[in-house]
Amino acid sequence: HTFGSGVFAAEGAVIVAHENARKDYLAKNLAPYAASALKDPLFAKYAARAPELTFTDSMVFDDGTRRAELRWFGQAHTTGCIFTFLPREKIVFTGDACVNGPFNYMGDSDTASWIQVLGQVQGLGAEQVLPGHGAAAKSDLLETQKRYFVDLRAAVGRLAGKPLDEVKAAGDLPSWKAWTGEKKMNASNIEHVYKELNR
């Protein structure tokens, strides 16, 4: 998570991110980080560190042994979500744009765009997915994550015109429950999609 960037910077790492992530970091993170540092000695130990090296669409690191391709496909979990693809190993690191389990936070997302982004990530040809939360998985995790948003938008859309509380109570996706092991839908995610579809 971005609040941890100072830990790596203290070890000499250069923080790399999409240009939107840097803008969001400077606009949204500095004041909350300073407030946390007043109460938490761990926060106080490390300075907040915005990304120093940014890009727009893609960036490649290649030392002749390993190639890492950083890709941005649009807004997903946030406006600055990037994917790191290792083409030789056929591994993609997704951050929180793909999770394995009941871990989706959608507060900064656009789910219609997120679905399209995941489709583009599928086109990379990765065989293994290392998600932001949950266990590593095969490439079908990308489809499982994408299907959750497609199904959630469809389920909420079928209840169009009904009050939010009624939509939250009626929202149910057996496929998501089977995937995550949860018994109850995430009400905040239902609310987020409801507001997207009614904006």
Side-chain angles (χ1 to χ4, degrees):
H1 296 280
T2 54
F3 270 14
S5 60
V7 177
F8 296 94
E11 296 295 324
V14 175
I15 309 301
V16 182
H18 187 265
E19 60 185 12
N20 289 344
R22 176 177 167 79
K23 288 175 190 171
D24 281 350
Y25 193 99
L26 294 172
K28 299 176 181 178
N29 286 1
L30 296 181
Y33 193 95
S36 296
L38 292 174
K39 304 178 206 167
D40 189 325
L42 189 59
F43 277 80
K45 183 178 177 182
Y46 298 98
R49 182 65 68 96
E52 303 152 272
L53 181 61
T54 63
F55 64 96
T56 52
D57 297 318
S58 65
M59 179 179 282
V60 174
F61 294 97
D62 193 330
D63 64 2
T65 301
R66 174 164 288 138
R67 180 180 176 88
E69 300 175 359
L70 279 59
R71 304 287 190 90
W72 180 81
F73 296 111
Q75 184 172 0
H77 168 69
T78 68
T79 62
C81 287
I82 61 172
F83 300 83
T84 303
F85 179 52
L86 307 183
R88 294 188 186 107
E89 295 84 354
K90 296 189 176 179
I91 297 171
V92 65
F93 298 82
T94 67
D96 286 356
C98 182
V99 298
N100 196 359
F103 307 114
N104 282 125
Y105 170 73
M106 296 166 64
D108 299 312
S109 74
D110 179 308
T111 58
S113 176
W114 202 337
I115 291 164
Q116 299 301 316
V117 166
L118 289 168
Q120 292 182 75
V121 177
Q122 287 176 300
L124 293 174
E127 295 177 355
Q128 188 169 14
V129 177
L130 297 182
H133 296 271
K138 298 298 183 185
S139 61
D140 59 353
L141 177 63
L142 294 167
E143 182 61 29
T144 301
Q145 177 66 93
K146 185 171 74 171
R147 178 55 47 194
Y148 168 54
F149 298 131
V150 170
D151 292 348
L152 183 59
R153 287 175 64 87
V156 173
R158 283 192 293 272
L159 299 170
K162 296 191 179 296
L164 175 57
D165 287 343
E166 191 174 328
V167 175
K168 284 183 184 177
D172 186 49
L173 293 178
S175 60
W176 180 82
K177 292 177 179 178
W179 171 36
T180 63
E182 296 290 301
K183 292 186 167 83
K184 187 175 179 185
M185 294 293 297
N186 185 320
S188 64
N189 288 358
I190 293 172
E191 180 174 355
H192 182 86
V193 170
Y194 179 89
K195 289 178 177 178
E196 282 186 334
L197 297 178
N198 289 284
R199 62 186 166 199

